[in-house]
Amino acid sequence: MSRIGRLPIAVPSGVDISIDGQAVTVKGPKGELKHTVAEPIEVKLEDGNVTVARPNDVNTVRALHGLTRTLIANMVEGVTKGYSKTLEVRGVGYTAAAKGSDQVELKLGYSHPITYKAPEGITLRVETVRRDQINALIHVDGIDKQKVGEVAANIRKFRKPDVYKGKGVRYQGEQVRKKVGKAGK
């Protein structure tokens, strides 16, 4: 039995979970999320806990067991607390500016500014900071963990951290190992 898959998911107060066949819907104070569970996995709601069960021990079913439980637990946490990722913009002349709650304009050393529009359900906040080579912080907030991570990765992809100077967009707390360069033979 999967160590993760067999754990029950406690449903906090204010969260409604409805299971209709393979469709799981989670409603909470921050919003609503839906997920379709893969076919052999069974999801049950009993006594304020959600349990995930598998019918057999085939490898693919075993893999889906823990995954399904984790996805439903992430949905419950998303509608109660939400998820957030923070990006740092570092480098001389590199800036970020908010254009509404779902757009950010980035100046990352290209000949033109880059405007990124977030998908529905994601909000972007920009905080201007001038310390420790950090010019701006971009906060990506939402209730869907996968969407928040994907948006943060897409923004980081515009200018990944340079290994020689450390310039670029990186996750907060990310360690970039600097290379020595030509002079450091």
Side-chain angles (χ1 to χ4, degrees):
M1 198 70 164
S2 169
R3 280 186 237 158
I4 294 173
R6 69 179 173 207
L7 296 173
I9 303 165
V11 180
S13 62
V15 175
D16 295 329
I17 296 181
S18 62
I19 301 167
D20 184 28
Q22 297 300 105
V24 177
T25 306
V26 180
K27 293 179 188 174
K30 290 193 174 263
E32 176 181 343
L33 292 171
K34 295 179 183 178
H35 176 67
T36 304
V37 177
E39 189 52 45
I41 304 295
E42 299 171 0
V43 180
K44 296 175 188 157
L45 177 64
E46 355 176 280
D47 301 332
N49 289 328
V50 176
T51 55
V52 179
R54 67 175 190 239
N56 55 35
D57 282 343
V58 177
N59 281 347
T60 55
V61 176
R62 289 175 58 196
L64 289 171
H65 187 206
L67 172 71
T68 303
R69 190 254 177 221
T70 302
L71 290 175
I72 294 172
N74 288 344
M75 290 167 55
V76 170
E77 186 176 339
V79 297
T80 53
K81 300 176 192 169
Y83 289 100
S84 178
K85 282 207 178 232
T86 304
L87 299 165
E88 298 174 352
V89 179
R90 292 183 178 210
V92 176
Y94 288 15
T95 60
K99 292 197 160 208
S101 65
D102 66 340
Q103 274 190 336
V104 65
E105 184 178 81
L106 303 160
K107 294 181 182 172
L108 300 174
Y110 297 114
S111 62
H112 58 284
I114 299 167
T115 303
Y116 181 78
K117 183 169 174 38
E120 187 177 328
I122 301 293
T123 57
L124 299 172
R125 294 181 292 120
V126 176
E127 181 182 336
T128 305
V129 179
R130 300 259 192 262
R131 63 174 158 71
D132 299 332
Q133 303 169 345
I134 301 171
N135 294 336
L137 295 175
I138 302 171
H139 302 282
V140 182
D141 301 317
I143 61 172
D144 190 351
K145 187 174 186 177
Q146 190 261 336
K147 262 190 191 177
V148 169
E150 186 177 358
V151 168
N154 287 339
I155 292 173
R156 182 181 181 271
K157 206 184 301 183
F158 290 129
R159 180 70 83 176
K160 290 184 180 175
D162 181 30
V163 293
Y164 295 105
K165 296 180 181 177
K167 298 165 57 166
V169 180
R170 65 175 78 176
Y171 297 113
Q172 191 171 36
E174 179 182 0
Q175 298 292 321
V176 177
R177 291 182 61 186
K178 289 188 176 181
K179 290 186 176 179
V180 180
K182 280 196 251 181
K185 281 190 173 182

